[in-house]
Amino acid sequence: MTREDDGNEGAPVRRDPPSAPETAKRKVWAHVDAVARFASAQGWIDRSERVLLERTTTEHVGGDVLDIGVGGGRTVPLLRPAATRYVGIDFLPELVTASSNRFPDADIRVGDARHLDFPDASFDLVVFSINGIDAISHSDRSIAMREIHRVLRPSGTFVFSTHNRDGPGPRERPWKIPPVSVRQPRSSA
């Protein structure tokens, strides 16, 4: 998604308390085992992520990069080398600590995509990888999108992944799914 002026600058931002699902996610992701798993993750998730991030970082070499949902730091070495300024944020202090421990010279902070604490037009590239946007409630996604749009420079790029709720299950490809036939057995009575 490329930033274009939508005329919504200064629109009010809703700041609701965390929902029950968000509180549950925070508790699960902040658990010591989850933090350790996130902190040990390395490399690309899949080929499509590799191609997309290599292309966009090449287009924005020397630019300013915001990495939303940095988690345990998996994306730091993928995005930071091409950036003049790299900032990673995550809404869990436990994951920010884990990522900062892995990459002590990186600028990694506690932050929330719905309330980005950066001036307007601060970044050339904003990345929200590994379906991170799906962790935000549907009602708050538009708030996050407005904030991301606000911090992107006019020629900036936003890269994200999300689940397709109408798509096939994990590891299934639509072109390899066999046709399904639903037949009701006939009663023998």
Side-chain angles (χ1 to χ4, degrees):
M1 179 167 128
T2 301
R3 182 186 189 276
E4 295 176 12
D5 187 13
D6 68 355
N8 283 331
E9 300 303 316
V13 175
R14 194 177 78 215
R15 296 178 191 260
D16 293 339
S19 64
E22 182 178 330
T23 301
K25 289 174 192 172
R26 285 176 182 257
K27 185 176 178 181
V28 168
W29 293 333
H31 188 273
V32 67
D33 293 334
V35 171
R37 188 176 70 250
F38 287 126
S40 66
Q42 296 181 37
W44 311 103
I45 292 297
D46 59 22
R47 184 169 187 262
S48 64
E49 181 185 64
R50 179 180 178 186
V51 169
L52 184 61
L53 292 183
E54 283 179 347
R55 279 188 190 162
T56 55
T57 55
T58 299
E59 290 171 12
H60 296 287
V61 167
D64 298 323
V65 175
L66 176 61
D67 187 358
I68 301 174
V70 69
R74 179 186 69 83
T75 52
V76 174
L78 306 178
L79 298 171
R80 192 173 67 161
T84 295
R85 179 174 67 124
Y86 169 89
V87 180
I89 66 168
D90 202 284
F91 77 148
L92 288 175
E94 296 86 351
L95 289 173
V96 168
T97 298
S99 187
S100 295
N101 288 341
R102 277 179 78 183
F103 304 99
D105 58 334
D107 183 355
I108 300 171
R109 317 169 185 184
V110 174
D112 188 321
R114 297 166 293 191
H115 316 293
L116 296 173
D117 192 22
F118 302 101
D120 294 358
S122 298
F123 296 97
D124 299 292
L125 175 61
V126 176
V127 176
F128 205 161
S129 64
I130 200 164
N131 306 311
I133 202 161
D134 291 336
I136 300 173
S137 71
H138 284 276
S139 61
D140 283 356
R141 287 182 194 178
S142 62
I143 295 168
M145 292 293 209
R146 268 196 309 277
E147 279 291 279
I148 291 163
H149 179 265
R150 182 184 64 75
V151 302
L152 268 176
R153 292 194 174 115
S155 61
T157 302
F158 175 40
V159 175
F160 68 101
S161 59
T162 184
H163 291 289
N164 176 355
R165 72 176 189 180
D166 297 326
R171 297 182 185 81
E172 293 176 344
R173 302 290 180 255
W175 55 89
K176 292 186 179 178
I177 298 174
V180 176
S181 173
V182 179
R183 290 183 159 182
Q184 293 293 332
R186 293 190 178 180
S187 172
S188 58

